Amino acid sequence: MVIAGLRRLEYRGYDSAGVAVQTRGADGQWLLATDKRAGKLVNLEKSLAETPLAAGTTGIGHTRWATHGGPTDANAHPHLDDHRKVAVVHNGIIENFAKLRADLADRGHTLRSETDTEVVAHLLAEAYDGDLAGAMRAVCRRLDGAFTLVAVHADAPGTVVGARRNSPLVVGVGDGENFLASDVAAFIAHTREAIELGQDQVVELRPDGVTVTNFDGTPAEVREYHVDWDASAAEKGGYDYFMLKEIAEQPKAVADTLLGRIGTDGRLTLDELRIPDQVLREVDKVVIVACGTAFHAGMIAKYAIEHWTRIPCEVEVASEFRYRDPILDDRTLVVAISQSGETMDTLMALRHAREQGAKVLAICNTNGSTIPRESDAVLYTHAGPEVAVASTKAFLTQLVACYLVALYLGQVRGTKWGDEITSVIRELGDAPRQVEQVLGTMEPVRALARSLADARSVLFLGRHVGYPVALEGALKLKELAYMHAEGFAAGELKHGPIALIEEGLPVVVVVPSPRGRSILHDKIVSNIQEIRARGARTIVIAEEGDEAVVPYADHLIRIPATPTLLQPLVSTVPLQVFACELATAKGHEVDQPRNLAKSVTVE
Ligand code: F6R
């Protein structure tokens, strides 16, 4: 059962894996049986198949994304104390571990790994006096940093204790069995009833009950919730990779994110948005914070927000935001975009914003996660669980949510007429069909990707909202195919990067619609000619009916006609397919690219 849970969580980290199970020895005494292996979960599974652990009904497991100490067998979790009484698994970073480690060594403990985690096993063993939850609370009070900890003790059979500070941990409530995991996906095959743990809380789990306390020992208030998807949503469903499945799910994900958000009068009703309209009317600046792909969604949102609402909008990578002392006050609306809802950089940015008095709106895909819980309001994307490390359907639904926020601001502030909003909503409503249409024409894109498996580098160009799309196309290729890929604003090329162009270099160009803002279109057609004249092999993504690009496109990828601002919903899709196919052609595992993890819960 633990291994099955880890399989569903492996996307969060796959440097090593391990398990510990409470079992009885030949003498009838309880003890901990453990195994742990460097590398992917399959290495541990192989080892367990060769040398199975004795049976038990209480156990813990871990898949690791290395922070302190390389991905070796010794550094894999669980970590044990000197007497093998306590086993601990941990996500996060314990910042004061060096001092704790030195003190433990002085007290005669032998530490066997390079990890920060191991100190907790030794500290718990010292603190244990028959009450594992009490010992955990005492230890947590001595720890600095961010952590989720889960522990078992050989002398406390049938009990698992967990703790969390700034790192996710949820409880699954079963019938005669209970679960703890950093993501509901781990136990969704057994129960859809969950309990959200708050900050600085310890949970004690027994087969027949769950007790939650604060680090100071006082009883904690918890929120129970029902998970609105089931195990099949977290399975590959006949696809070779989760990424392929998630790319294919995009039409439904976009439709689900729009669902129920338009009233019968055609006006937007974002019910869960708990910031009063009056506050939104007074907002004088929007600041978007996010990381990676979510940051690219934020860049696109800026174009929509400024155009539709005339409110100045800044976008910043969350990891930089708070360190430059940004100017924020109670009239600033901060929008934090995160698929997982657990990204530490984004969480720290929103905490800083709230401390300065700004209102924070989260756009998030994971119910019960930390970022929406700590925000003033949330707009959930309904993409369903995203398992592949490379974000696809979450990105498209983040775009939809951003458009909805922009339109809503326009509606409450009166910067957009009702019929204008209705018309954009109608166009958004057509997006699922258009994405489906793009997905149906991807075979030539796949063939092109396979033919470029040996390319050394690929460049991506775009203008306006096509620029963040170019950045996103390059990010996908970097993370999946491990090749040099860079996105540029097409107009910026001549200021330096054009020197990179050499004979045969593949350059993907995202072309804006020739209708509407035609000046943008004309400029990019000139840019395509400039790079082609210098030997680039041009791969052009252009709207159906755009004939002006045809003479300059070595490869032409057609997308349906959309309004300029909504084009990323369709132009991103070929880039996702391209990266996925190219990485597969190179023999890479697309769902779990090297060095990455799905939820980045360290800063
Ligand atoms: C790229 C990717 C990452 C995430 C980033 C933010 O494909 O998945 O760049 O977008 O780590 O993650 P969330 O959205 O969970 O905050």
Side-chain angles (χ1 to χ4, degrees):
M1 189 179 277
V2 173
I3 292 287
L6 291 181
R7 206 172 292 131
R8 290 189 191 276
L9 290 189
E10 200 185 10
Y11 68 93
R12 299 177 79 100
Y14 32 83
D15 289 339
S16 61
V19 287
V21 178
Q22 291 178 339
T23 187
R24 281 186 197 271
D27 57 359
Q29 290 294 311
W30 284 99
L31 53 86
L32 299 179
T34 67
D35 195 359
K36 50 188 195 169
R37 297 288 152 193
K40 296 209 166 171
L41 185 61
V42 63
N43 295 355
L44 175 67
E45 288 181 278
K46 228 180 272 161
S47 165
L48 288 170
E50 282 161 17
T51 325
L53 297 183
T57 59
T58 305
I60 60 175
H62 189 255
T63 60
R64 176 166 188 250
W65 185 77
T67 57
H68 290 62
T72 60
D73 285 356
N75 289 336
H77 302 204
H79 290 282
L80 282 82
D81 68 304
D82 289 312
H83 305 289
R84 297 185 58 88
K85 286 282 190 185
V86 178
V88 174
V89 297
H90 164 223
N91 288 342
I93 293 176
I94 295 163
E95 284 164 4
N96 57 337
F97 91 101
K99 167 93 176 73
L100 294 169
R101 190 182 168 101
D103 292 350
L104 282 163
D106 287 347
R107 295 201 294 275
H109 292 260
T110 307
L111 288 109
R112 293 171 181 78
S113 76
E114 301 156 289
T115 65
D116 50 344
T117 307
E118 194 186 347
V119 299
V120 178
H122 292 265
L123 291 173
L124 274 175
E126 278 185 346
Y128 182 74
D129 60 0
D131 172 12
L132 189 56
M136 182 63 99
R137 284 191 294 268
V139 171
C140 286
R141 290 196 294 266
R142 298 177 61 188
L143 304 180
D144 295 336
F147 47 85
T148 290
L149 293 162
V150 173
V152 284
H153 196 294
D155 297 344
T159 302
V160 177
V161 163
R164 80 168 283 258
R165 168 182 286 167
N166 287 337
S167 180
L169 184 62
V170 276
V171 180
V173 184
D175 184 8
E177 55 181 6
N178 290 305
F179 307 85
L180 269 179
S182 46
D183 183 335
V184 292
F187 53 69
I188 195 73
H190 305 283
T191 179
R192 288 166 71 180
E193 303 313 313
I195 297 177
E196 207 176 271
L197 291 180
Q199 208 47 283
D200 286 6
Q201 291 183 349
V202 163
V203 56
E204 183 184 287
L205 214 71
R206 301 166 309 280
D208 57 351
V210 173
T211 312
V212 185
T213 48
N214 297 308
F215 280 0
D216 63 8
T218 53
E221 275 185 31
V222 293
R223 188 180 80 89
E224 293 180 26
Y225 66 101
H226 179 75
V227 182
D228 58 6
W229 49 271
D230 62 14
S232 65
E235 276 157 16
K236 287 186 197 153
Y239 289 88
D240 288 343
Y241 305 108
F242 278 108
M243 185 173 178
L244 289 173
K245 176 184 174 232
E246 290 162 6
I247 289 173
E249 283 172 343
Q250 293 185 111
K252 180 173 185 311
V254 167
D256 287 351
T257 301
L258 286 167
L259 205 68
R261 281 164 171 165
I262 297 118
T264 43
D265 56 356
R267 284 175 70 82
L268 271 174
T269 47
L270 304 183
D271 285 340
E272 65 271 60
L273 206 84
R274 296 180 308 259
I275 301 178
D277 287 357
Q278 188 48 40
V279 175
L280 293 178
R281 264 181 222 116
E282 279 162 18
V283 164
D284 65 2
K285 181 166 76 170
V286 177
V287 179
I288 303 177
V289 288
C291 304
T293 290
F295 170 68
H296 297 151
M299 286 179 77
I300 293 165
K302 172 184 163 82
Y303 289 86
I305 290 172
E306 292 195 336
H307 184 64
W308 289 337
T309 72
R310 311 310 295 153
I311 312 172
C313 177
E314 295 170 14
V315 197
E316 187 151 5
V317 282
S319 53
E320 286 297 316
F321 176 70
R322 71 178 166 137
Y323 299 104
R324 67 168 176 88
D325 193 14
I327 300 164
L328 306 162
D329 60 30
D330 58 1
R331 295 181 68 185
T332 313
L333 176 67
V334 171
V335 180
I337 309 175
S338 174
Q339 187 285 129
S340 61
E342 300 294 350
T343 301
M344 185 60 79
D345 291 315
T346 310
L347 180 61
M348 290 303 173
L350 82 84
R351 283 192 185 155
H352 179 75
R354 291 194 79 195
E355 278 163 17
Q356 309 297 308
K359 288 275 177 291
V360 176
L361 164 66
I363 291 179
C364 184
N365 194 43
T366 312
N367 198 323
S369 58
T370 311
I371 288 174
R373 207 165 51 232
E374 295 203 12
S375 299
D376 296 287
V378 57
L379 196 66
Y380 279 110
T381 49
H382 294 295
E386 192 180 65
V387 177
V389 165
S391 192
T392 53
K393 60 177 181 171
F395 177 70
L396 256 56
T397 57
Q398 283 162 354
L399 289 180
V400 171
C402 287
Y403 293 133
L404 292 177
V405 169
L407 289 172
Y408 192 75
L409 284 171
Q411 179 174 290
V412 298
R413 297 163 69 93
T415 49
K416 263 200 118 34
W417 297 107
D419 54 348
E420 289 175 307
I421 293 176
T422 315
S423 137
V424 181
I425 295 284
R426 202 177 312 113
E427 285 154 349
L428 273 174
D430 208 22
R433 187 192 61 75
Q434 292 183 320
V435 174
E436 194 76 69
Q437 185 183 331
V438 176
L439 288 170
T441 58
M442 285 295 96
E443 203 36 58
V445 174
R446 284 191 205 99
L448 174 65
R450 289 192 294 271
S451 76
L452 291 175
D454 293 327
R456 274 195 306 133
S457 168
V458 181
L459 302 188
F460 293 77
L461 306 183
R463 274 180 182 262
H464 194 261
V465 289
Y467 167 42
V469 171
L471 295 178
E472 175 61 8
L475 176 61
K476 284 285 149 311
L477 203 57
K478 275 182 244 194
E479 67 181 320
L480 296 171
Y482 317 151
M483 58 197 279
H484 174 244
E486 261 189 281
F488 297 105
E492 192 59 17
L493 209 67
K494 58 187 174 296
H495 299 289
I498 200 163
L500 291 169
I501 307 280
E502 56 188 19
E503 198 57 39
L505 179 81
V507 183
V508 181
V509 189
V510 184
V511 179
S513 169
R515 302 162 301 115
R517 267 160 265 191
S518 60
I519 183 149
L520 269 177
H521 177 267
D522 298 349
K523 293 273 182 263
I524 210 160
V525 174
S526 304
N527 298 143
I528 301 173
Q529 294 179 56
E530 287 154 16
I531 54 168
R532 202 154 181 271
R534 288 164 175 83
R537 177 172 170 186
T538 56
I539 302 163
V540 175
I541 301 180
E543 188 175 298
E544 280 155 3
D546 179 353
E547 295 307 318
V549 295
V550 175
Y552 316 111
D554 295 314
H555 305 271
L556 187 56
I557 301 170
R558 288 295 191 190
I559 51 174
T562 53
T564 306
L565 279 167
L566 305 192
Q567 197 202 50
L569 288 170
V570 287
S571 55
T572 310
V573 176
L575 302 181
Q576 299 167 339
V577 172
F578 179 76
C580 184
E581 188 71 20
L582 204 154
T584 310
K586 290 179 86 137
H588 298 324
E589 254 189 72
V590 292
D591 283 343
Q592 294 175 349
R594 69 182 179 204
N595 303 339
L596 290 168
K598 184 74 181 162
S599 294
V600 186
T601 50
V602 291
E603 261 192 287

